[in-house]
Amino acid sequence: MSTLVNRSGRPDWAIVQDWDGYTAAEHAIWRTLFARQAELLRGRAAPEFLDGVARLGVAADGIPDFRRLNDVLGKSTGFRIVAVPGLVPDDVFFEHLAHRRFPSTCFIRTKEQLDYIEEPDVFHDIFGHVPLLVNPVFADYMEAYGKGGLAALKRGTLHQLSRLYWYTVEFGLIETKAGLRIYGSGIVSSKGESEYCLDHPAPNRLGFDLVRVMRTKYRIDAFQETYFVIRGFDELFQATLADFAPVYARLAALPELAPGTVLPEDRVLHRGTGGKRRGITGRPPPQ
Ligand code: HBI
Ligand code: FE
């Protein structure tokens, strides 16, 4: 991650969203992104995600006012959105999550960036991440991730923990009675990957396993070569309850894995045909 400069003047990097400052053109870009994804995600996104969008009132009409979202969010899981200028240092990011604050960017991508933007913008953060924060189990997972991140920084194991975030919060799939559904923010905020992740034969779709995920490297500039599938958000939260010290000890004895790997012990829902495709809403490069 390039060196970040804190212009907020505050140690938590928080700024004011300045909702009145958005232009009609910026709201129009939100409307384009929202209309496209809302249409595409019906029948593709996890019911819990769609429920969160509805309950929060994240709507087509324009960039939401964080103050209004916080009214709903605060009453549901006690999470609160904190506006930040962009990517913040890892320790600041984890400190916010550990206290049920989600740091969201406020800027929106340009028309030219509709399909590809390197860093998270307000559409990725608010449409992609915030709806699931009304789900109590997922909110617990995000708080646990923040606490785990602060511990990982001290242990020097952030590169392994960030893979857990990448393959769940950003690019996770979930099994439902109606079939596989999307819950990862990096996917739901991307038109291309919302189609690719469920339908395309190229990527692997493997059952979630904590150590397996934390061994598996990822790339930020192409669609995923492997998606990990959880059976439910409880499975995800249960995985974080364990003390991570033994997990890190096991990881130290196991080789890292390339993104497209399939192991004999994997629960294979779909073995991919391989191949890499251009990327989508990225995130900071892997540690
Ligand atoms: N900052 N605003 C913001 N959003 C992120 O998703 C984010 C970040 N800083 C660090 C970070 N993500 C990742 O490096 C950690 O999840 C590991
Ligand atoms: Fe994200």
Side-chain angles (χ1 to χ4, degrees), residues 102 120 124-125 129 165 169-170 185-186 282-283:
F102 184 81
H124 170 83
D125 280 331
H129 282 285
Y165 189 84
V169 177
E170 293 294 353
S185 309
R283 279 180 21 83

Side-chain angles (χ1 to χ4, degrees), residues 115-127:
D115 286 336
Y116 184 90
I117 179 167
E118 187 58 36
E119 292 195 1
D121 73 336
V122 69
F123 185 74
H124 170 83
D125 280 331
I126 296 300
F127 181 81

Side-chain angles (χ1 to χ4, degrees), residues 35-200:
R36 195 169 74 172
Q37 287 308 102
E39 177 56 35
L40 181 59
L41 291 171
R42 241 192 301 282
R44 285 176 174 275
E48 295 86 346
F49 172 81
L50 298 172
D51 173 52
V53 171
R55 284 176 58 191
L56 274 171
V58 171
D61 54 351
I63 299 169
D65 185 332
F66 293 0
R67 292 167 297 193
R68 203 173 43 74
L69 297 184
N70 279 335
D71 289 345
V72 179
L73 203 49
K75 291 190 189 87
S76 59
T77 58
F79 252 94
R80 188 161 58 84
I81 299 160
V82 173
V84 291
L87 290 176
V88 300
D90 293 336
D91 60 331
V92 173
F93 184 66
F94 294 131
E95 183 69 18
H96 278 303
L97 290 183
H99 293 88
R100 295 209 168 215
R101 296 189 300 264
F102 184 81
S104 172
T105 50
C106 312
F107 74 92
I108 193 155
R109 68 192 74 180
T110 62
K111 280 199 300 300
E112 295 69 36
Q113 294 173 308
L114 279 185
D115 286 336
Y116 184 90
I117 179 167
E118 187 58 36
E119 292 195 1
D121 73 336
V122 69
F123 185 74
H124 170 83
D125 280 331
I126 296 300
F127 181 81
H129 282 285
V130 171
L132 274 177
L133 294 178
V134 306
N135 177 288
V137 179
F138 196 82
D140 288 348
Y141 175 68
M142 289 293 272
E143 178 186 342
Y145 178 81
K147 290 173 176 163
L150 292 171
L153 280 172
K154 293 191 183 78
R155 279 193 175 114
T157 55
L158 180 59
H159 62 297
Q160 292 164 329
L161 188 78
S162 62
R163 292 168 185 162
L164 175 60
Y165 189 84
W166 185 266
Y167 283 115
T168 58
V169 177
E170 293 294 353
F171 290 96
L173 300 181
I174 185 168
E175 284 177 80
T176 74
K177 291 188 188 61
L180 296 190
R181 292 292 182 266
I182 302 164
Y183 72 92
S185 309
I187 306 178
V188 292
S189 55
S190 153
K191 175 179 180 300
E193 195 145 9
S194 294
E195 292 160 339
Y196 178 81
C197 71
L198 293 180
D199 302 341
H200 203 284

